[in-house]
């Protein structure tokens, strides 16, 4: 390994180990002695788009239906700006000190430890990893819903729309889990770039299909449906339900943009400067958030225009559309492929965290450190065992709690403020030494407090949904 010097001209030949073979091996290492990172603006953008554009884009029509033509699009634009701005603050915290030569922070927790320290590190870790586990469970459920929808679309086409065409989601969750056990053996974040690119392409595929079907339905209706204030209080919707659903919708839009919990991990895949990793990450964030906002606005607004107050929870699986059934199948296959990649994007930080801790605790253990070469692949017995166990646990929990999407909404509500706003703001203030009481300090703290209120309101809406789901709860139900 190479010592922690800043360049090869300061490096004595003896500082390269015998294992490296020769002094030229230093060219294959970064300034921290780790294998040279190969990520680019495009791979970082693919990771972000894969993380941000989830199948939740198809539920935005429902969210806008709760808020109406005024508040719905306004909320999307507002949170697009907040997410982009706080992400640029967080990107500057990847290195402590100098943006090009400062100490690297490999994870979100490392950045918090370097800049804030103390109990805030533990708080960050608990929130971040609980959220990532929740997302893994939620994606398992979402994939099974899309696989069910493929079967139901064919059934409706063959037997008519009046037939229930119901089936259990459990076999589909098991199939998704088996697939994830295989993909989870990819060693680290830097090596799943190709999977993220495939997943990003799939997200554009099903979003475009949903958009096209929404436009076609709107044209068929002869105009736009919906109202300025959203669903009206009446016989079907009480004032209390209107409030809870509006809060949930506001939260859904806010959290649809969230990817800060894996931003530092994505940034750690970018190759060394120039330009600095923070500049590349900020550029990738700008492209990704702009792209997702355009898709969110188009899909959400056209879905609402097509169905108005009757917009389904999911345009492609809630059967707002029945035909053409083959196109729905293509869209739902694209959703499943996207979720396979998105699951890995969100779980790789968990895998890396556990494996680092295990390696530090038992450095001499052959079970943890030894790798077996199988052709071009390097298989680790520990990685195979623990990652497979993790996937099995998330799959069983998804089968046990099929309404867990509501719980994931709660976890998202709880994690939005600390991970997307609070920690980036506080670390930026500390790193840039923003004077307490200055105009910039007051503006940053005001932003943080406003987002805290949104998180609390969205959490309340999600809790109300969980309570409703518990009333009809049956373990391992479809």
């Amino acid at each position: 390994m190479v010592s922690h010097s800043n360049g090869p001209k300061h490096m004595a030949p003896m500082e390269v180990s015998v294992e490296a073979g020769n002094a030229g091996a230093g060219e294959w290492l970064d300034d921290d002695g780790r294998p040279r990172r190969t990520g680019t603006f495009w791979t970082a953008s693919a990771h972000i788009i894969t993380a941000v554009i989830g199948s939740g884009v198809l539920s935005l029509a429902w969210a806008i239906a709760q808020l109406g033509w005024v508040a719905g699009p306004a909320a999307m634009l507002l949170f697009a700006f907040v997410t982009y701005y706080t992400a640029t603050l967080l990107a500057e915290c990847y290195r402590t000190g100098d943006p090009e030569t400062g100490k690297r922070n490999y994870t979100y927790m490392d950045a918090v430890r370097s800049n804030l320290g103390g109990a805030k590190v533990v708080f960050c870790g608990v929130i971040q990893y609980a959220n990532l586990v929740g997302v893994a469970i939620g994606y398992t459920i979402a994939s099974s819903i899309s696989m069910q929808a493929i079967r139901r679309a064919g059934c409706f086409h063959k037997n008519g729309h009046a037939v229930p065409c119901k089936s259990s989601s459990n076999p589909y969750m098991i199939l998704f889990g088996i697939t994830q056990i295989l993909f989870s053996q990819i060693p680290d974040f830097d090596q799943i770039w190709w999977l993220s690119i495939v997943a990003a392409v799939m997200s554009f595929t099903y979003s475009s299909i949903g958009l096209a079907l929404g436009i076609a339905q709107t044209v068929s209706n002869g105009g736009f449906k919906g109202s300025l204030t959203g669903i009206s209080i009446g016989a079907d919707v009480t004032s209390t339900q209107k409030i809870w659903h509006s809060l949930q919708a506001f939260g859904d839009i806010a959290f649809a943009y969230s990817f800060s919990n894996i931003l530092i991990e994505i940034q750690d895949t970018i190759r060394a400067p120039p330009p600095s990793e923070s500049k590349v990450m900020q550029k990738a964030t700008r492209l990704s958030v702009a792209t997702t906002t355009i898709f969110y606005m188009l899909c959400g607004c056209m879905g609402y225009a097509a169905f108005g107050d009757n917009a389904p929870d999911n345009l492609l699986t809630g059967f707002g559309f029945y035909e053409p059934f083959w196109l729905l199948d293509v869209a739902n296959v694209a959703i499943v492929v996207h979720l396979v990649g998105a699951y890995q994007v969100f779980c790789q930080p968990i895998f890396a965290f556990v494996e680092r801790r295990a390696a530090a605790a038992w450095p001499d253990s052959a079970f943890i450190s030894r790798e077996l070469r199988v052709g071009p692949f390097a298989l680790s017995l520990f990685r195979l065992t623990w990652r497979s166990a993790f996937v099995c646990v998330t799959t069983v929990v998804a089968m046990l709690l099929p309404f867990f999407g509501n719980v994931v909404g709660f976890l998202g509500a709880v994690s939005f403020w600390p991970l997307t706003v609070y920690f980036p703001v506080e670390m930026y203030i500390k790193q840039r030494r923003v004077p307490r009481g200055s105009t910039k300090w007051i503006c940053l703290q005001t932003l943080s407090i406003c987002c805290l209120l949104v998180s609390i309101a969205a959490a309340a809406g999600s809790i109300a949904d969980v309570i409703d789901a518990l009333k009809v709860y049956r373990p391992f139900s479809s």
Side-chain angles (χ1 to χ4, degrees):
M1 298 295 289
V2 180
S3 71
H4 291 247
S5 59
N6 288 331
K9 65 182 180 180
H10 301 297
M11 192 186 303
M14 293 302 292
E15 289 181 303
V16 180
S17 70
V18 175
E19 292 179 293
N22 53 65
E27 296 177 3
W28 302 101
L29 301 176
D30 269 332
D31 55 355
D32 58 348
R34 295 194 175 190
R36 188 171 295 280
R37 294 155 178 83
T38 58
T40 64
F41 161 73
W42 293 109
T43 60
S45 299
H47 285 318
I48 296 171
I49 290 172
T50 299
V52 178
I53 300 186
S55 56
V57 64
L58 302 170
S59 67
L60 290 175
W62 178 87
I64 294 180
Q66 313 309 308
L67 299 172
W69 280 117
V70 176
M76 283 193 200
L77 293 174
L78 174 64
F79 283 99
F81 171 76
V82 170
T83 301
Y84 167 69
Y85 179 69
T86 57
T88 61
L89 301 184
L90 183 57
E92 294 195 22
C93 300
Y94 170 66
R95 287 184 183 266
T96 301
D98 189 275
E100 293 194 8
T101 61
K103 174 185 170 294
R104 295 175 185 265
N105 296 305
Y106 303 119
T107 68
Y108 200 128
M109 281 183 67
D110 288 344
V112 174
R113 185 179 292 110
S114 296
N115 289 281
L116 303 176
K120 292 179 180 178
V121 180
V122 178
F123 174 57
C124 170
V126 170
I127 293 293
Q128 180 187 12
Y129 291 111
N131 177 256
L132 293 176
V133 172
V135 168
I137 297 170
Y139 280 179
T140 303
I141 297 170
S143 67
S144 71
I145 292 172
S146 287
M147 285 187 269
Q148 273 185 303
I150 295 171
R151 182 185 179 280
R152 292 182 70 197
C155 177
F156 286 137
H157 178 73
K158 182 179 179 181
N159 302 314
H161 302 167
V163 179
C165 293
K166 290 185 177 180
S167 63
S168 173
S169 61
N170 292 339
Y172 301 111
M173 292 189 192
I174 293 172
L175 178 61
F176 185 78
I178 292 172
T179 304
Q180 290 303 339
I181 287 176
L182 297 176
F183 280 104
S184 292
Q185 302 316 309
I186 298 174
D188 55 46
F189 220 139
D190 200 33
Q191 296 181 37
I192 65 168
W193 61 268
W194 60 272
L195 188 58
S196 279
I197 290 175
V198 171
V201 171
M202 292 298 103
S203 68
F204 287 126
T205 299
Y206 66 72
S207 298
S208 299
I209 292 173
L211 172 61
L213 291 174
I215 293 173
Q217 184 66 44
T218 302
V219 172
S220 176
N221 295 339
F224 283 27
K225 291 188 176 183
S227 63
L228 294 179
T229 57
I231 293 176
S232 303
I233 298 172
D236 297 330
V237 180
T238 66
S239 57
T240 302
Q241 288 176 321
K242 170 71 173 178
I243 292 173
W244 290 132
H245 287 167
S246 295
L247 290 177
Q248 183 187 352
F250 202 62
D252 285 350
I253 294 172
F255 311 130
Y257 285 98
S258 181
F259 66 97
S260 297
N261 49 356
I262 56 172
L263 184 145
I264 295 292
E265 285 81 353
I266 292 174
Q267 194 167 344
D268 191 46
T269 67
I270 298 173
R271 62 188 174 208
S276 67
E277 296 92 348
S278 63
K279 289 182 179 178
V280 175
M281 194 65 188
Q282 288 169 357
K283 185 179 176 184
T285 300
R286 183 161 59 248
L287 172 68
S288 304
V289 172
T291 302
T292 54
T293 299
I294 291 170
F295 265 77
Y296 281 2
M297 291 289 282
L298 290 173
C299 291
C301 291
M302 290 312 303
Y304 183 43
F307 296 102
D309 292 350
N310 296 319
D313 287 348
N314 188 312
L315 287 177
L316 297 178
T317 64
F319 287 91
F321 303 104
Y322 290 92
E323 299 291 344
F325 80 100
W326 60 269
L327 189 59
L328 292 175
D329 289 350
V330 170
N332 281 299
V333 167
I335 291 175
V336 174
V337 174
H338 171 259
L339 290 174
V340 168
Y343 185 102
Q344 287 302 313
V345 168
F346 279 98
C347 288
Q348 283 293 337
I350 302 175
F351 297 156
F353 174 77
V354 171
E355 286 155 23
R356 270 198 314 273
R357 288 300 182 95
W362 300 285
D364 300 323
S365 171
F367 173 69
I368 292 174
S369 60
R370 183 174 299 168
E371 289 191 337
L372 175 66
R373 300 296 304 189
V374 181
F377 303 104
L379 298 179
S380 161
L381 186 59
F382 174 62
R383 187 162 63 231
L384 176 65
T385 304
W386 116 257
R387 292 191 183 190
S388 299
F390 174 86
V391 173
C392 289
V393 169
T394 58
T395 303
V396 170
V397 173
M399 293 164 63
L400 183 64
L401 301 175
F403 64 91
F404 199 82
N406 296 327
V407 179
V408 171
F410 172 73
L411 289 173
V414 171
S415 64
F416 170 72
W417 173 69
L419 296 180
T420 302
V421 183
Y422 174 73
F423 283 123
V425 165
E426 292 299 314
M427 287 191 291
Y428 179 81
I429 288 174
K430 182 73 175 292
Q431 186 145 315
R432 288 301 184 91
R433 297 182 176 86
V434 179
R436 186 182 183 87
S438 65
T439 302
K440 190 168 189 177
W441 185 89
I442 292 173
C443 290
L444 289 170
Q445 295 296 347
T446 301
L447 172 66
S448 181
I449 292 172
C450 290
C451 290
L452 171 61
L453 297 177
V454 170
S455 276
I456 293 172
S462 295
I463 290 172
D465 260 9
V466 171
I467 292 173
D468 285 342
L470 284 170
K471 293 176 183 177
V472 294
Y473 168 64
R474 287 183 300 149
F476 294 102
S477 62
S478 61

